[in-house]
Amino acid sequence: MQTCAIVTGHSRGLGAAILRELLERGIATLGLARGATRAPVEAPPGLFEERTLDLSDAAALRAWLAGPQLANWMLGRQRVLLVNNAGTLEPMGPLPTQDLSAVADAVSLNVGAPLMLSAALCAVDGADQERRIVHVSSGAARSPYAGWSIYCATKAALDQHARAAALDATPGLRICSLAPGVVDTSMQAALRSVDPARFPMRERFEKLQREGQLASPEDCARRLVDYLLSDAFGQQPVADLRSLPAAAG
């Protein structure tokens, strides 16, 4: 089956690992991020493209989606994958400390961009195409954390979006908001250095790192792509990668 993918936040961390995993499987992948990928990408011509796009800028994303690039990337493919991975933890801290511009940017990046891309993907003409959307969610969508009101709320929004979109039963669409577990990325390193006054759960994440309980981006990406390509994908609109049998293979 001819398959292509779109991955947001592909330039580092889990997004970069997902990009590499897709390319290793011969899946043509378009990366969307504020900056270019930080590591060299070895791929045959036409298999990898990237666009520099600030996904927290709703107007810029809307302008890009109004153009032909997305439809051209999807043209002739039997299956299209969208991995909504880009996101931010900021602003952290109690409500009185939160910068209002940072709140607006976080909502645009964590919620607005995935929802806009999902709608645009499904609006592209292609009656016979299968479309699979995975929102990279978090356990924070389902459990509240002090200092993370914005992150928890935005990830919960992705979960509820997937639940409602699944009820729409759009022909050819499978969707899942998937928590990947705790992954050893620069985001985790940043958490371990943040002021505990802004994030009281810092010690918990330091302990996870000390005890070797962080998943590698590469292992997480492999399991995520395994699941995304499996027949089981989309049977649950909200899931946790760590509890899925299909993700272990």
Side-chain angles (χ1 to χ4, degrees):
M1 178 180 290
Q2 261 203 324
T3 302
C4 72
I6 302 101
V7 179
T8 67
H10 72 287
S11 61
R12 59 180 179 172
L14 179 59
I18 293 171
L19 168 67
R20 291 191 296 270
E21 184 68 28
L22 290 165
L23 293 176
E24 286 175 5
R25 300 182 191 221
I27 296 174
T29 303
L30 171 64
L32 301 177
R34 185 169 50 188
T37 182
R38 297 180 176 186
V41 175
E42 296 182 6
L47 203 64
F48 170 60
E49 293 185 18
E50 60 183 336
R51 296 286 180 272
T52 301
L53 186 62
D54 184 353
L55 295 169
S56 69
D57 185 337
L61 177 57
R62 186 163 56 245
W64 186 80
L65 290 172
Q69 295 94 330
L70 180 62
N72 288 345
W73 183 254
M74 295 169 60
L75 187 64
R77 317 287 188 176
Q78 295 171 291
R79 181 168 58 189
V80 182
L81 315 174
L82 172 60
V83 182
N84 285 313
N85 165 74
T88 181
L89 291 169
E90 295 291 350
M92 286 188 280
L95 298 186
T97 70
Q98 293 175 4
D99 178 80
L100 299 187
S101 294
V103 172
D105 287 347
V107 174
S108 293
L109 177 59
N110 291 4
V111 182
L115 270 55
M116 290 171 68
L117 285 163
S118 297
L121 185 88
C122 293
V124 172
D125 186 31
D128 297 329
Q129 278 184 334
E130 178 186 347
R131 300 169 197 204
R132 299 189 176 197
I133 299 171
V134 59
H135 297 324
V136 176
S137 184
S138 168
R142 300 141 210 186
S143 300
Y145 292 87
W148 260 8
S149 59
I150 300 302
Y151 189 68
C152 291
T154 53
K155 289 301 184 180
L158 295 183
D159 284 7
Q160 197 72 338
H161 177 263
R163 290 186 181 104
L167 292 176
D168 290 335
T170 301
L173 174 66
R174 301 188 188 197
I175 187 168
C176 178
S177 190
L178 185 66
V182 188
V183 187
D184 193 7
T185 63
S186 59
M187 185 178 287
Q188 281 295 316
L191 278 180
R192 296 192 296 271
S193 63
V194 74
D195 184 346
R198 294 176 60 213
F199 186 56
M201 295 294 291
R202 168 178 155 174
E203 169 57 29
R204 174 177 182 267
F205 288 88
E206 290 177 332
K207 183 178 179 182
L208 289 173
Q209 194 268 342
R210 286 196 305 269
E211 296 179 353
Q213 295 185 45
L214 301 180
S216 73
E218 293 74 20
D219 181 61
C220 183
R222 177 185 58 79
R223 292 183 293 119
L224 186 150
V225 174
D226 279 347
Y227 181 57
L228 179 57
L229 297 174
S230 74
D231 291 340
F233 182 80
Q235 292 178 4
Q236 303 176 55
V238 174
D240 189 309
L241 187 61
R242 293 164 295 186
S243 64
L244 294 171

